[in-house]
Amino acid sequence: MSQRTLILLKPDAVQKSLIGEIVGRFEKKWLKVVGLKLMNMSGALVDEHYDFLMDKPFFPSIKSYMTSSPIVALAVEGHESVKVVRSMCGATNPVDALPGTIRGDLAKNIDNNIIHSSDSEETAGKELARFFKSEELFDYGRPLLG
Ligand code: GDP
């Protein structure tokens, strides 16, 4: 089933010049880029996005991390994309993330784990609407792929 999912390249991905490397991995997996933008996350947007972590002791560090510099919001479309993207990202803690995954290869520790992706189709719908206006998401075919 074709579906859309949301990916965020967190501030450390942008700082370490890994935008191309990470977006390239999704493109090579034939996921179609349907939305892409550089943006700052406001404190209010972090509160909304991570509200389920609000009472954790590490929430203030998440908030200062996510607002420290721009992020890239990326929307991709493809067969079972929520599951495919989650498995490409790897475990939340990069120490546990397998080699070959984005966190396993490129991230150092849980404070700086480089990437976010939606964890279900329902969450993806909400998160895509949180980061993209409808006119920022594109429907297009890829006839050159054959
Ligand atoms: P994800 O879906 O794999 O990103 O994981 P979660 O939804 O469980 O957590 C959301 C984000 O909160 C993670 O990506 C981390 O940035 C952060 N986080 C989760 N657990 C911890 C923790 O124990 N310590 C710190 N510093 N950050 C955490």
PDB file of all heavy atoms in Angstrom, residues 23 26 75 79 81 83 85 94 98 100 112 114:
ATOM      1  N   VAL A  23      18.939  12.313   2.426  1.00  0.00           N
ATOM      2  CA  VAL A  23      17.861  12.347   1.422  1.00  0.00           C
ATOM      3  C   VAL A  23      18.188  11.344   0.305  1.00  0.00           C
ATOM      4  O   VAL A  23      17.312  10.638  -0.205  1.00  0.00           O
ATOM      5  CB  VAL A  23      17.660  13.773   0.857  1.00  0.00           C
ATOM      6  CG1 VAL A  23      16.630  13.777  -0.272  1.00  0.00           C
ATOM      7  CG2 VAL A  23      17.210  14.737   1.960  1.00  0.00           C
ATOM      8  N   PHE A  26      17.014   7.786   0.914  1.00  0.00           N
ATOM      9  CA  PHE A  26      15.584   7.553   0.667  1.00  0.00           C
ATOM     10  C   PHE A  26      15.295   7.532  -0.836  1.00  0.00           C
ATOM     11  O   PHE A  26      14.497   6.727  -1.311  1.00  0.00           O
ATOM     12  CB  PHE A  26      14.739   8.613   1.385  1.00  0.00           C
ATOM     13  CG  PHE A  26      14.856   8.533   2.887  1.00  0.00           C
ATOM     14  CD1 PHE A  26      15.283   9.619   3.633  1.00  0.00           C
ATOM     15  CD2 PHE A  26      14.555   7.353   3.554  1.00  0.00           C
ATOM     16  CE1 PHE A  26      15.406   9.536   5.017  1.00  0.00           C
ATOM     17  CE2 PHE A  26      14.677   7.253   4.948  1.00  0.00           C
ATOM     18  CZ  PHE A  26      15.111   8.352   5.677  1.00  0.00           C
ATOM     19  N   ALA A  75       8.844  14.976   3.241  1.00  0.00           N
ATOM     20  CA  ALA A  75       7.705  14.070   3.104  1.00  0.00           C
ATOM     21  C   ALA A  75       8.009  13.124   1.954  1.00  0.00           C
ATOM     22  O   ALA A  75       8.392  13.579   0.869  1.00  0.00           O
ATOM     23  CB  ALA A  75       6.432  14.861   2.813  1.00  0.00           C
ATOM     24  N   HIS A  79       5.558   2.498  -1.229  1.00  0.00           N
ATOM     25  CA  HIS A  79       4.946   1.287  -0.688  1.00  0.00           C
ATOM     26  C   HIS A  79       5.398   1.077   0.770  1.00  0.00           C
ATOM     27  O   HIS A  79       6.604   1.013   1.032  1.00  0.00           O
ATOM     28  CB  HIS A  79       5.345   0.094  -1.561  1.00  0.00           C
ATOM     29  CG  HIS A  79       4.744  -1.199  -1.123  1.00  0.00           C
ATOM     30  ND1 HIS A  79       3.387  -1.437  -1.158  1.00  0.00           N
ATOM     31  CD2 HIS A  79       5.302  -2.315  -0.609  1.00  0.00           C
ATOM     32  CE1 HIS A  79       3.140  -2.655  -0.710  1.00  0.00           C
ATOM     33  NE2 HIS A  79       4.299  -3.202  -0.367  1.00  0.00           N
ATOM     34  N   SER A  81       5.731   3.003   3.201  1.00  0.00           N
ATOM     35  CA  SER A  81       6.825   3.939   3.497  1.00  0.00           C
ATOM     36  C   SER A  81       7.049   4.180   4.993  1.00  0.00           C
ATOM     37  O   SER A  81       8.180   4.407   5.419  1.00  0.00           O
ATOM     38  CB  SER A  81       6.617   5.262   2.761  1.00  0.00           C
ATOM     39  OG  SER A  81       5.453   5.900   3.225  1.00  0.00           O
ATOM     40  N   LYS A  83       6.886   2.031   7.468  1.00  0.00           N
ATOM     41  CA  LYS A  83       7.720   0.917   7.960  1.00  0.00           C
ATOM     42  C   LYS A  83       9.118   0.956   7.344  1.00  0.00           C
ATOM     43  O   LYS A  83      10.131   0.773   8.029  1.00  0.00           O
ATOM     44  CB  LYS A  83       7.006  -0.384   7.581  1.00  0.00           C
ATOM     45  CG  LYS A  83       7.583  -1.624   8.170  1.00  0.00           C
ATOM     46  CD  LYS A  83       6.619  -2.763   7.844  1.00  0.00           C
ATOM     47  CE  LYS A  83       7.262  -4.102   8.113  1.00  0.00           C
ATOM     48  NZ  LYS A  83       6.401  -5.190   7.648  1.00  0.00           N
ATOM     49  N   VAL A  85      10.805   3.507   6.120  1.00  0.00           N
ATOM     50  CA  VAL A  85      11.612   4.631   6.626  1.00  0.00           C
ATOM     51  C   VAL A  85      12.051   4.373   8.064  1.00  0.00           C
ATOM     52  O   VAL A  85      13.209   4.605   8.419  1.00  0.00           O
ATOM     53  CB  VAL A  85      10.834   5.959   6.490  1.00  0.00           C
ATOM     54  CG1 VAL A  85      11.526   7.079   7.240  1.00  0.00           C
ATOM     55  CG2 VAL A  85      10.665   6.325   5.020  1.00  0.00           C
ATOM     56  N   PRO A  94      21.331   5.539  18.968  1.00  0.00           N
ATOM     57  CA  PRO A  94      22.314   5.156  17.943  1.00  0.00           C
ATOM     58  C   PRO A  94      23.267   4.054  18.402  1.00  0.00           C
ATOM     59  O   PRO A  94      23.804   3.305  17.577  1.00  0.00           O
ATOM     60  CB  PRO A  94      23.074   6.459  17.673  1.00  0.00           C
ATOM     61  CG  PRO A  94      22.080   7.520  17.994  1.00  0.00           C
ATOM     62  CD  PRO A  94      21.285   6.990  19.161  1.00  0.00           C
ATOM     63  N   LEU A  98      21.626  -0.597  14.153  1.00  0.00           N
ATOM     64  CA  LEU A  98      22.501  -1.483  13.380  1.00  0.00           C
ATOM     65  C   LEU A  98      23.289  -0.713  12.319  1.00  0.00           C
ATOM     66  O   LEU A  98      22.788   0.275  11.755  1.00  0.00           O
ATOM     67  CB  LEU A  98      21.659  -2.561  12.674  1.00  0.00           C
ATOM     68  CG  LEU A  98      20.951  -3.551  13.598  1.00  0.00           C
ATOM     69  CD1 LEU A  98      20.082  -4.497  12.780  1.00  0.00           C
ATOM     70  CD2 LEU A  98      21.971  -4.349  14.417  1.00  0.00           C
ATOM     71  N   GLY A 100      24.447   0.227   8.776  1.00  0.00           N
ATOM     72  CA  GLY A 100      23.611   0.216   7.565  1.00  0.00           C
ATOM     73  C   GLY A 100      22.383   1.091   7.737  1.00  0.00           C
ATOM     74  O   GLY A 100      21.801   1.548   6.759  1.00  0.00           O
ATOM     75  N   ASN A 112      21.669  13.236  20.264  1.00  0.00           N
ATOM     76  CA  ASN A 112      21.863  13.769  18.899  1.00  0.00           C
ATOM     77  C   ASN A 112      21.644  12.605  17.922  1.00  0.00           C
ATOM     78  O   ASN A 112      22.592  12.093  17.330  1.00  0.00           O
ATOM     79  CB  ASN A 112      23.287  14.323  18.740  1.00  0.00           C
ATOM     80  CG  ASN A 112      23.551  15.495  19.661  1.00  0.00           C
ATOM     81  OD1 ASN A 112      23.210  16.633  19.369  1.00  0.00           O
ATOM     82  ND2 ASN A 112      24.131  15.205  20.798  1.00  0.00           N
ATOM     83  N   ILE A 114      19.898  12.501  15.114  1.00  0.00           N
ATOM     84  CA  ILE A 114      19.952  12.900  13.698  1.00  0.00           C
ATOM     85  C   ILE A 114      18.653  12.920  12.894  1.00  0.00           C
ATOM     86  O   ILE A 114      18.506  13.690  11.961  1.00  0.00           O
ATOM     87  CB  ILE A 114      21.033  12.061  12.970  1.00  0.00           C
ATOM     88  CG1 ILE A 114      21.997  12.986  12.259  1.00  0.00           C
ATOM     89  CG2 ILE A 114      20.507  11.037  12.019  1.00  0.00           C
ATOM     90  CD1 ILE A 114      23.306  12.346  11.879  1.00  0.00           C
TER      91      ILE A 114
END
